[in-house]
Amino acid sequence: MKFGKEFEAQMVQEWQEAYVDYSNLKSILKDILRFKQLNNAPSPMAATVKGKLKRNASLYRAFSGLTSRFRPDSTLKNNEDEVILVSAVQEGDGEGDYQTMFLRSNEEGAEHELVFFRRLDDEFNKVIKFYKKNVAEVIVEADELSKQMNALIALRIKVDNPVIGQNDVNLVPNGFSSNSSSIDHPTNGGNQAWSVINVIKEEQKEEDNDGINGGEGNKKEGFKAAPLEVLDHVKINVEVGTPLSTLKAVIRSSKSDLSFSRKELRTAEEKITRAIVEFYRKLRLLKSYCFLNQLAFSKIMKKYDKTSSRNASKAYLQMVDKSYFGSSDEVTTLMESVEDTYAKHFANGNRRKGMKKLRPQAKRERHRITFLYGLFSGCSIALIVAIILNLHARALLKSVERDQYMVNIFPLYSLFGYIALHMLMYAGNIYFWKRYRINFPFIFGFKQGTELGYRQLLLLTSGLSLLTLAAVISHLDIEIDPRTQTFRTLTELIPLFLLILVVSIAFCPFNIIYRSSRFFLIRCAFRCVCAPLYKVTLPDFFLADQFTSQVQAFRSLEFYICYYVWGNFRERSNKCEDSEVYRVFYIVVAIVPYWLRFIQCLKRLLEEKDAAHGVNGLKYLSTIAAVALRTIYQFQKQKATTWLVLAAATSGMATIFNTYWDIVIDWGLLRRKSSNPWLRDKLVLPHKVVYFLAMALNCVLRLVWMQQVLGIQTVLFLHGTALTAVVASLEIIRRGIWNFFRLENEHLNNVGKYRAFKSVPLPFCYDHNGDNSM
C-alpha cells in the first residue's frame, strides 16, 4: 500500500483537517517534475557528460583524510550544497512560526519549489499549533484527574477505615497495591476479618507516581495516606442517569454532599475509570497524530530530494526533530503515568490486566461468521423458492381461503419481515460507513470493541429470515397435509411461538448473541420512552427516528394481541377492525413514535435553548396530525370528501416539511453557494450524482402515503395487506438511505469542530471556596 493511502487510513478522521495535506504537497512535486521533464532538465543521477557521470562540485575539493575527527554540522555546511535555510520567526503574541528560505530561487523553474516550501511551512505550522493546543488541554485534564484521584483515595480511606499496622508498612515494593492483607474492622476489636483492601505503599527512594502528572518524590518512608481534608472541599456530581435522579436534581442541587457509603465509592470508581480510559485514548491518538505527521514530513521531503535532485531533506527534518513537535515528550510521560496509576489503583497492581482495559484489542474477523451468514442466506433463498413453488403447485393464491390467510396470518409474519429488512439496511449502512471512514462507533457512543460489523448484522438478519421462512413453510405444510390437519390449533400458534423466541433472545441475560449490543439497544429504547427524564443524546433520537419508520411493525404487534386474545385464532378469524377500541389504539400506536420524537425535541429545546429543536418538534406534530387523519379516513366505509381533503392537506404539508428537513437540515444539502453547487462544501462520496439521486428518491418515497387516500390497491390489483407491507417496506428502505447521509453530515460536523472525544462526567466537584489545590 502506498504511503498516501496508508496515511489517510490511519489518521483520526475527526482531525483530518489538522493533518499535513500530503496529497497537496505531492501534487506540487508532480508540477516540479513535470516542469523538469518539459524543459529537459538533466538529473544528476542520470546526466552524463561525454559518456562520463556528471559529479557534484564538492567532490573536487581536497580530501580531508579517513582519520579526521567528527566536526559540528556548522563546519560541514558548504555553500554550494545548501538548498534551504529554516528559521523560527517570533510573532507579537509570542507564538513562533517556522519559515523556510529557498536559496536557489534564481534558478529556472524555482517558482514551483518556492510554492512547495511555502506550502510545506504552512502545513508544519498548522500541525505544530494543533499539537501544542491539544497537549496543553491534556495537561489541564491531567491536573483535574489528579484532584479526582486524591478525592477518590481519601474517600476509600474514609469508607474502608483501614487499620494500618507496623507490619503493613513497605510490604509491597514499587508502589503496587497489596491484594492479600486481611484488615480487621476497628469496631469488632479485630476478632473478625473485615475486608481485603488496597493500600498504597511507598518506599523511601520511590517517586510519587499517584498523580497523573507525577510529582515530587516521596521523602517520607512508609505508608503515605491521602489527606482526608480533601473531602471537606468536594461534593458528588449528581448525574441524571435515572428518572429518580432526575426528579432529585429538579428538587435539589445538581451536587450533593458525600454520604461515605460503599455504593458512593463504587460509583465514583466507575466514573473515574471511564474518565481515565477515555483520557488515555486521547493520549494515544495524540501520539499517533505526532508520529504520522513526522512520518509524512519525512516522506514528502525525501520525495522532494528525489524529484528535484537536491539534498534539502536533512536540514528540514533536523528542524522538525528539534521543534516542539519532534522533541516534546509530555504525551509519552503522561501515558506512562496513566498506565502506572490505572494498574496500581484499578487492577490490583496487575499491569497486564490494566493494559487490557486501557488498550482493548480490536475484534478479529472470524470466517465462521461469514460462513454462517452465507449458509443462512442460501437456506433462506431455498425456502423462498420452495414457498413460491408450493403456492403455485397447490394454486393457493386462487383458493377461497386466500383472503382469510392474508387478513389473519400474513400480518403476523410480516412483522419479522419488517425487522429483517431494517437490519439489512443497517448492515448496508455500516458497510458504507466503514468504507468511507465515517466514525459511527464514536458518533453512537459504542464501547470500544463492542460495535457490530456488517457481517454480524448480516448473520442476525439471515438467521431471523431463516426462522421466519421455516415457520411460514411449516405453517403451509401442516395446514395442507391431511395427516396433520388435526393439529390446527398448534398450527395457528406458530407465529406466536416465533415471536416469543425472538423476544426471549432479545432480552436474554446470558452473554450470547451479542449481549452488549442487545442491551445497548434496550437501554436506548428505554431512554426514548422516558425522554422527559433523560438527557437526549444522538443514539436516543436516532433510534426514535427508526421507530417512526416501523409504524406498521408496531401495528402488527397490536394485531398479535387482538388476534390471540380477542380473536378466534382456532378458526382463523378476527373482528379487530370492527372494534372501536382496536381502531383507537391503531391510531395511538402509529403516533407514539412521532410523539416520542416531539418530546425529545422539547427536552432539547429546554436544555440547549436552540429554536431549531422547537421547529423540529412542530414537524413531528404535523406528522402526527397527518397520520391520525389518514388512518381515520382509511377506517371509513363511506369515504367522506371532508376527511379526504383533510387527510390530503395535512399529509401534503407534513411531506413538504419532512422532505425539506431531511435534505436541508439532516443531510446539510441544497447549499446554493457551496463549493459543490446545491450540495455542501465537504462531501464523503466521490460521485456527486449519488447525492442528487438520493434527494430525488427521498422525495418519491415520502409520497407513498398517497396509496391510502387514492385507493391505489384497486389499480394495482393487490390485496390491501400486501400493499400495506409494500408501502411499509419502502419507508424502511427510505430510512436506510436517510441513515447514511444523516451520519455523514454528523461526521463532517465533528470533523469541522475536531470533535474526537466524548465528555465523561467526573464524580467529584471541588468547592472553589475551599482549598482545591490538592
Side-chain angles (χ1 to χ4, degrees), residues 708-728:
Q708 289 184 321
V709 295
L710 298 180
I712 298 179
Q713 64 266 28
T714 60
V715 179
L716 298 177
F717 302 103
L718 290 175
H719 194 278
T721 53
L723 183 61
T724 300
V726 171
V727 171

Side-chain angles (χ1 to χ4, degrees), residues 182-337:
S182 298
I183 310 298
D184 294 336
H185 196 287
T187 57
N188 293 336
N191 295 326
Q192 297 179 351
W194 172 42
S195 64
V196 178
I197 66 171
N198 298 325
V199 181
I200 310 303
K201 273 73 173 187
E202 305 276 349
E203 287 189 345
Q204 184 175 4
K205 296 182 180 180
E206 180 191 1
E207 290 186 353
D208 185 7
N209 292 327
D210 281 353
I212 302 293
N213 281 327
E216 297 295 332
N218 183 23
K219 302 301 182 182
K220 182 178 179 180
E221 184 178 2
F223 175 77
K224 176 186 176 183
L228 296 181
E229 291 78 7
V230 172
L231 300 179
D232 297 334
H233 307 297
V234 297
K235 290 187 177 182
I236 289 290
N237 284 322
V238 178
E239 183 183 3
V240 181
T242 63
L244 182 59
S245 64
T246 304
L247 294 176
K248 288 181 178 180
V250 172
I251 298 173
R252 298 184 298 183
S253 171
S254 61
K255 303 175 181 61
S256 64
D257 295 329
L258 293 168
S259 61
F260 307 116
S261 64
R262 292 196 174 278
K263 180 180 179 181
E264 191 174 64
L265 175 60
R266 186 167 57 251
T267 302
E269 288 178 341
E270 291 174 355
K271 288 183 178 181
I272 289 186
T273 300
R274 291 198 301 268
I276 291 179
V277 170
E278 185 67 16
F279 179 69
Y280 187 77
R281 175 175 169 267
K282 187 171 185 177
L283 294 175
R284 289 181 63 194
L285 294 184
L286 268 177
K287 187 174 182 180
S288 172
Y289 173 84
C290 180
F291 172 75
L292 279 178
N293 281 290
Q294 283 182 310
L295 188 58
F297 284 116
S298 175
K299 291 284 186 179
I300 202 66
M301 286 306 300
K302 290 178 180 178
K303 281 185 177 292
Y304 170 79
D305 285 354
K306 184 177 180 181
T307 302
S308 63
S309 303
R310 303 186 191 279
N311 187 19
S313 61
K314 183 177 180 181
Y316 199 89
L317 294 179
Q318 281 181 348
M319 179 274 297
V320 172
D321 292 338
K322 293 178 181 178
S323 67
Y324 179 83
F325 185 68
S327 61
S328 171
D329 62 346
E330 284 94 339
V331 173
T332 303
T333 304
L334 281 173
M335 289 182 68
E336 294 174 355
S337 298

Side-chain angles (χ1 to χ4, degrees), residues 330-461:
E330 284 94 339
V331 173
T332 303
T333 304
L334 281 173
M335 289 182 68
E336 294 174 355
S337 298
V338 171
E339 292 168 2
D340 294 339
T341 300
Y342 193 91
K344 180 187 297 184
H345 293 281
F346 303 104
N348 292 327
N350 189 333
R351 188 176 181 84
R352 179 177 296 180
K353 178 181 177 182
M355 293 306 297
K356 285 183 179 180
K357 295 291 184 180
L358 290 175
R359 295 187 180 184
Q361 298 295 323
K363 291 190 303 182
R364 295 175 58 185
E365 294 290 344
R366 298 181 179 179
H367 298 295
R368 179 177 60 195
I369 294 176
T370 305
F371 170 77
L372 286 178
Y373 85 69
L375 176 65
F376 292 165
S377 300
C379 293
S380 299
I381 294 172
L383 287 175
I384 292 175
V385 174
I387 291 173
I388 294 174
L389 294 176
N390 204 341
L391 294 176
H392 179 73
R394 299 178 181 181
L396 296 179
L397 294 178
K398 298 179 181 178
S399 64
V400 294
E401 295 183 353
R402 170 178 175 266
D403 289 341
Q404 189 181 24
Y405 185 89
M406 293 299 294
V407 171
N408 295 280
I409 303 301
F410 184 81
L412 300 178
Y413 287 115
S414 63
L415 168 65
F416 306 104
Y418 302 144
I419 298 174
L421 179 60
H422 211 136
M423 292 171 64
L424 182 63
M425 295 301 298
Y426 184 64
N429 291 147
I430 291 178
Y431 172 79
F432 286 105
W433 287 334
K434 283 190 173 182
R435 179 176 178 180
Y436 295 105
R437 294 191 292 274
I438 294 175
N439 195 358
F440 72 94
F442 168 72
I443 295 174
F444 287 136
F446 292 140
K447 187 177 179 181
Q448 190 175 358
T450 62
E451 70 277 5
L452 294 182
Y454 72 93
R455 290 185 177 87
Q456 287 83 2
L457 262 297
L458 288 176
L459 174 63
L460 295 175
T461 303

Side-chain angles (χ1 to χ4, degrees), residues 501-710:
L501 175 63
V502 172
V503 173
S504 300
I505 292 175
F507 288 90
C508 178
F510 302 110
N511 192 15
I512 57 174
I513 314 180
Y514 310 116
R515 182 180 65 175
S516 61
S517 298
R518 288 188 286 108
F519 282 16
F520 182 86
L521 178 65
I522 293 171
R523 283 194 300 269
C524 288
F526 180 75
R527 291 170 67 94
C528 289
V529 175
C530 303
L533 301 176
Y534 283 97
K535 179 179 176 61
V536 180
T537 59
L538 188 141
D540 301 333
F541 67 75
F542 190 87
L543 180 61
D545 279 324
Q546 310 307 304
F547 287 160
T548 61
S549 296
Q550 285 285 4
V551 167
Q552 203 56 44
F554 292 121
R555 285 175 168 173
S556 296
L557 286 174
E558 180 194 6
F559 183 76
Y560 263 92
I561 298 173
C562 179
Y563 184 70
Y564 284 108
V565 176
W566 291 290
N568 188 3
F569 67 90
R570 294 178 179 84
E571 301 296 330
R572 192 177 289 179
S573 64
N574 72 88
K575 297 181 179 179
C576 293
E577 293 191 1
D578 297 332
S579 171
E580 193 67 28
V581 176
Y582 178 84
R583 291 185 176 186
V584 171
F585 276 97
Y586 197 79
I587 298 174
V588 171
V589 166
I591 66 176
V592 163
Y594 300 101
W595 177 258
L596 294 178
R597 281 297 286 124
F598 172 70
I599 295 298
Q600 287 178 337
C601 291
L602 288 185
K603 177 72 172 179
R604 297 186 71 186
L605 176 63
L606 294 175
E607 290 181 346
E608 302 176 19
K609 310 299 181 183
D610 188 352
H613 298 309
V615 179
N616 197 17
L618 292 177
K619 180 192 73 173
Y620 289 105
L621 277 182
S622 67
T623 308
I624 289 173
V627 171
L629 290 173
R630 284 206 306 264
T631 308
I632 293 173
Y633 175 76
Q634 179 186 356
F635 278 133
Q636 284 187 336
K637 296 180 179 179
Q638 299 294 331
K639 305 296 184 182
T641 307
T642 304
W643 287 107
L644 173 62
V645 172
L646 289 175
T650 54
S651 297
M653 289 187 294
T655 300
I656 295 173
F657 202 167
N658 282 273
T659 304
Y660 172 82
W661 198 273
D662 286 345
I663 297 174
V664 178
I665 307 300
D666 290 338
W667 294 358
L669 302 176
L670 287 183
R671 308 295 182 186
R672 186 176 60 181
K673 297 182 180 180
S674 68
S675 56
N676 301 300
W678 299 106
L679 296 176
R680 66 169 99 86
D681 291 334
K682 298 178 182 178
L683 302 175
V684 170
L685 300 179
H687 304 291
K688 298 179 184 179
V689 67
V690 176
Y691 293 92
F692 292 105
L693 290 176
M695 287 189 284
L697 189 58
N698 185 76
C699 294
V700 172
L701 295 179
R702 277 287 187 185
L703 297 175
V704 295
W705 55 268
M706 289 194 302
Q707 60 87 20
Q708 289 184 321
V709 295
L710 298 180

